[in-house]
Amino acid sequence: MSEDEDRTVDLDGVSGGGAGFNHEASSSKTSCCPSPSPDRVLEIVLENVLLFLTSRRDRSAVSLVCKSWYRAEALTRSELFIGNCYAVSPRRAIERFQKVRSLVLKGMPRFADFSLVPPNWGAHFLPWVSAMATGYPWLEKVYLKRMSVTDDDLNLLAKSFPGFKELVLVCCEGFGTSGLAAVARECRQLRVLDLIDDEVMDDEVDWISCFPETGTCLESLVFDCVEFHVNFGALELLVARSPSLRRLKLNRHVPLGELLRLMVRAPRLTHLGTGSFSLSEHPAQEEQEAASLAAAFAACKSLICLSGFRDIVPDYLPTIHPVCAKLTSLNLSYANINAEQLKSVIYHCHKLQTLWVLDSVCDEGLQAVAATCKELHELRVFPMDAREDGQAFVSEVGLLAISEGCRKLRSILYFCQKMTNDAVVAMSQNCPELVVFRLCIMGRHRPDHVTGEPMDIGFGAIVMNCKKLTRLAVSGLLTDKAFSYIGKYGKLVRTLSVAFAGNTDMALRYVLEGCPKLLKLEIRDSPFGDTALLSGLHHYYNMRFLWMSSCKLSLGGCKEVARRMPQLVVELIREPEEEDIVDDVVEKLYMYRSLEGCRLDAPSFVTIL
């Protein structure tokens, strides 16, 4: 970008004013500095209009109109989203977008959450933070997901951006308390430090004590994933000197007695993660402690989001009754409670919009949710036992009840062992506004357990009746017919996850030829081979990635894709102990578009074609 494109222009034609203003000098100056050209004036107007455009998809569309719009959009973009850290280099991103203050960066494939990506695969934050240290000195926010982050990376981040305010790390690994201490110590304007589902190492550094000793700017502190003790005395003092704190999520090493003390210090919390919800170390004080905790919850007039409940003792659940009427979000996904225990809480939660639970609540618990939570928008039901032959706690009965009682539902994740087409069809008819539908029937190739038929009709109804659907996860016994429905009706589907489904290559072809918006496709343990893979050559450049594992791909088929699509990175991933691909069989394929070509940090167990 040239200097002229970055120059600010005074549209009023003057640069000063006041009693001593010299009109002759102004006239002379105007004659020496001609007015901007009409094209430049239009660019300035466009830049000011684009400041109000916040959707990244809208901005991407604007940048494709013409070269001047491309330049104007880049000049005004302050938030940068990169869905794959290998899709573009830090250098290229910084050269194009020079005024970024907020970065969202994602790394490893989602199946890394299920241990399908070997350790040390990549997605290192170091190249990015090193480049941004000089390219974006005014950076304020960083959100990382599934990235490899070291303590040195965090130390460099903390020292490079004097106005840094927000750090969110989700499903990241490689760092410990030393890096967190650097962030707490150096980032004096820090407002958000959220650690979500990370693997944090204990370096025996008291990072909580490293925050400023005077008042802080903290608005959000989340460390519920940290698997070791923190200095509670320092934490209590930190909460006390953080008047803006609104979000606090504790780990399991903070018991109820300490939670109570923190709540007294921070009565204006809107989001609270309770940590351990277990018995007091002093049994004689349990009754008094429960009464005090209930009083503390009653004093939190602004609390709308509640989570935590690790190591729960259900007898303590009534202590949250004073806040239930105002709750819009309740996360009980760590709470092993039954239907009766859930009902004692849920009957008070009439405003609930988001609910996460374990399947230990059974169908009866979900029926209570359906009867009470008429404003529910998102439901996630996680399994207590995720094994394929695990015990079944919820079924089509719970799903049917939710669809009949929660008509405003927009998103559902539902783990179960058995399901029927009728229940899924009812969901599509009762909740047509669904945007996300993820049904995970954990046993392989499970049919409708009443009729014995494939689950084709149920999933077909979802894509036919839910016109706004953008994310879909399918499972159970599915034939190619289900995928033909997805290809025919799933015109807005952007993310599709497939497990143990399909019977020929035509299934994948239906999807790749019929879903024009498809960005992310994840497939595991399905019978799709080279013919299916090659059927998507027309669409792969439009996708963010394709993941296939335990399918029927050959080395030759993958090489053919790499030969015909040179700007696509085709990675073959094997287990670290395997020296080479065996019998021409590709176990794991990860394929993504990139402006940079092959990455340079691939480990030995990754072959890039």
Side-chain angles (χ1 to χ4, degrees):
M1 184 174 63
S2 68
E3 292 181 2
D4 289 340
E5 293 168 341
D6 195 37
R7 185 180 299 135
T8 58
V9 179
D10 185 354
L11 294 178
D12 293 326
V14 297
S15 57
F21 183 66
N22 187 323
H23 291 276
E24 287 187 4
S26 175
S27 175
S28 175
K29 189 172 182 179
T30 302
S31 64
C32 296
C33 298
S35 300
S37 67
D39 288 344
R40 181 58 186 143
V41 170
L42 289 175
E43 285 189 9
I44 295 167
V45 172
L46 178 61
E47 289 171 13
N48 282 277
V49 171
L50 289 178
L51 290 174
F52 297 95
L53 195 62
T54 56
S55 166
R56 66 173 185 267
R57 294 192 181 100
D58 290 343
R59 279 187 159 273
S60 295
V62 163
S63 70
L64 298 176
V65 173
C66 61
K67 288 184 178 180
S68 63
W69 285 46
Y70 177 91
R71 290 194 300 267
E73 192 282 319
L75 279 172
T76 57
R77 185 178 292 214
S78 62
E79 299 179 354
L80 183 59
F81 174 92
I82 298 176
N84 179 355
C85 63
Y86 290 118
V88 64
S89 68
R91 174 195 56 80
R92 187 189 293 264
I94 291 172
E95 285 179 355
R96 178 178 174 187
F97 305 106
Q98 300 189 0
K99 297 182 179 180
V100 168
R101 294 180 178 272
S102 174
L103 172 71
V104 176
L105 183 64
K106 298 185 178 183
M108 288 175 273
R110 191 181 68 91
F111 276 171
D113 297 348
F114 304 97
S115 302
L116 293 179
V117 178
N120 303 313
W121 173 83
H124 302 291
F125 183 46
L126 178 60
W128 287 90
V129 70
S130 299
M132 293 187 302
T134 54
Y136 295 147
W138 46 79
L139 194 69
E140 296 179 352
K141 304 177 184 179
V142 169
Y143 174 106
L144 305 179
K145 188 169 187 179
R146 299 190 188 95
M147 296 289 293
S148 178
V149 183
T150 67
D151 288 334
D152 289 340
D153 297 341
L154 294 181
N155 190 55
L156 179 58
L157 179 146
K159 294 182 177 179
S160 299
F161 311 111
F164 193 76
K165 296 176 181 177
E166 298 186 17
L167 177 62
V168 180
L169 304 178
V170 181
C171 300
C172 294
E173 60 186 23
F175 66 96
T177 50
S178 298
L180 297 178
V183 172
R185 182 174 53 250
E186 301 293 338
C187 301
R188 313 295 287 187
Q189 300 181 45
L190 193 67
R191 297 187 308 203
V192 175
L193 179 56
D194 289 356
L195 311 175
I196 304 170
D197 294 330
D198 300 314
E199 295 182 13
V200 184
M201 295 180 291
D202 185 3
D203 303 327
E204 298 184 351
V205 175
D206 183 8
W207 62 283
I208 291 289
S209 297
C210 294
F211 285 92
E213 294 184 359
T214 55
T216 77
C217 303
L218 267 184
E219 298 174 7
S220 177
L221 178 62
V222 175
F223 62 95
D224 54 346
C225 64
V226 174
E227 293 294 339
F228 42 83
H229 287 275
V230 298
N231 182 341
F232 178 74
L235 177 62
E236 187 175 17
L237 292 174
L238 174 62
V239 170
R241 65 179 186 271
S242 302
S244 299
L245 191 65
R246 296 295 180 268
R247 183 191 303 259
L248 178 64
K249 296 188 178 183
L250 311 167
N251 69 359
R252 66 182 342 128
H253 296 285
V254 179
L256 283 179
E258 294 178 350
L259 170 66
L260 173 59
R261 291 165 59 179
L262 294 175
M263 292 175 67
V264 171
R265 296 279 194 176
R268 292 179 297 278
L269 289 175
T270 59
H271 297 64
L272 175 63
T274 65
S276 176
F277 217 70
S278 57
L279 295 170
S280 169
E281 296 178 358
H282 308 286
Q285 300 177 9
E286 287 177 13
E287 186 174 342
Q288 179 182 354
E289 191 174 80
S292 299
L293 190 61
F297 274 114
C300 291
K301 304 296 185 183
S302 302
L303 200 61
I304 59 172
C305 179
L306 202 52
S307 61
F309 303 101
R310 297 169 185 260
D311 308 317
I312 188 170
V313 174
D315 290 345
Y316 276 66
L317 272 178
T319 61
I320 72 171
H321 286 176
V323 297
C324 285
K326 295 182 179 180
L327 288 182
T328 60
S329 177
L330 179 61
N331 183 347
L332 296 169
S333 60
Y334 289 101
N336 181 7
I337 57 176
N338 60 33
E340 290 301 322
Q341 292 158 350
L342 175 66
K343 286 192 284 186
S344 72
V345 171
I346 211 68
Y347 283 151
H348 301 278
C349 301
H350 295 280
K351 293 184 179 180
L352 211 58
Q353 297 179 12
T354 300
L355 175 65
W356 294 13
V357 293
L358 288 175
D359 62 3
S360 60
V361 302
C362 301
D363 290 328
E364 183 182 351
L366 296 180
Q367 289 170 329
V369 172
T372 307
C373 306
K374 301 303 181 182
E375 300 298 317
L376 197 67
H377 289 173
E378 178 185 350
L379 173 67
R380 299 192 186 190
V381 181
F382 297 96
M384 282 284 295
D385 183 356
R387 296 176 301 173
E388 292 181 23
D389 57 350
Q391 185 176 356
F393 292 102
V394 297
S395 67
E396 76 281 359
V397 175
L399 188 74
L400 181 60
I402 291 295
S403 73
E404 292 175 344
C406 306
R407 301 297 182 103
K408 296 182 180 181
L409 202 66
R410 302 290 183 273
S411 174
I412 185 168
L413 169 63
Y414 198 88
F415 282 87
C416 62
Q417 290 285 359
K418 57 183 182 179
M419 185 52 59
T420 65
N421 280 304
D422 286 347
V424 180
V425 171
M427 172 66 74
S428 75
Q429 294 170 341
N430 294 330
C431 304
E433 299 298 308
L434 276 174
V435 176
V436 176
F437 183 78
R438 294 191 284 168
L439 176 59
C440 302
I441 305 172
M442 289 180 286
R444 299 190 184 204
H445 314 297
R446 295 277 176 90
D448 180 316
H449 78 95
V450 173
T451 67
E453 295 294 319
M455 292 295 299
D456 298 342
I457 298 299
F459 283 103
I462 290 292
V463 291
M464 279 189 276
N465 297 328
C466 303
K467 306 296 186 183
K468 299 177 182 179
L469 196 73
T470 62
R471 184 172 184 179
L472 175 65
V474 301
S475 56
L477 179 61
L478 294 176
T479 70
D480 292 351
K481 186 177 181 180
F483 293 89
S484 70
Y485 288 136
I486 295 171
K488 185 175 181 180
Y489 298 103
K491 299 306 180 183
L492 297 183
V493 172
R494 302 170 64 86
T495 302
L496 176 63
S497 302
V498 180
F500 312 108
N503 48 9
T504 74
D505 286 341
M506 277 303 299
L508 189 54
R509 183 173 179 177
Y510 286 135
V511 170
L512 290 169
E513 293 183 353
C515 299
K517 301 289 187 179
L518 192 63
L519 285 180
K520 297 178 281 187
L521 179 56
E522 308 166 329
I523 306 171
R524 59 170 296 187
D525 297 276
S526 298
F528 307 139
D530 295 343
T531 301
L533 179 66
L534 293 170
S535 68
L537 294 177
H538 67 288
H539 188 60
Y540 290 143
Y541 278 148
N542 298 324
M543 292 176 60
R544 188 181 301 171
F545 70 80
L546 166 67
W547 169 279
M548 297 179 70
S549 60
S550 299
C551 295
K552 295 184 176 180
L553 300 177
S554 73
L555 180 60
C558 296
K559 285 184 175 179
E560 180 64 12
V561 173
R563 183 186 69 81
R564 295 171 65 175
M565 307 195 75
Q567 290 188 324
L568 206 64
V569 177
V570 181
E571 292 195 9
L572 310 183
I573 305 172
R574 59 187 184 276
E575 294 304 316
E577 62 271 12
E578 296 177 0
E579 294 185 0
D580 208 345
I581 296 173
V582 180
D583 297 330
D584 198 41
V585 175
V586 173
E587 176 61 24
K588 296 171 185 174
L589 166 70
Y590 182 48
M591 194 163 66
Y592 53 90
R593 62 190 182 192
S594 175
L595 297 175
E596 308 302 328
C598 301
R599 61 186 175 113
L600 302 178
D601 63 351
S604 59
F605 55 80
V606 171
T607 300
I608 300 181
L609 302 180

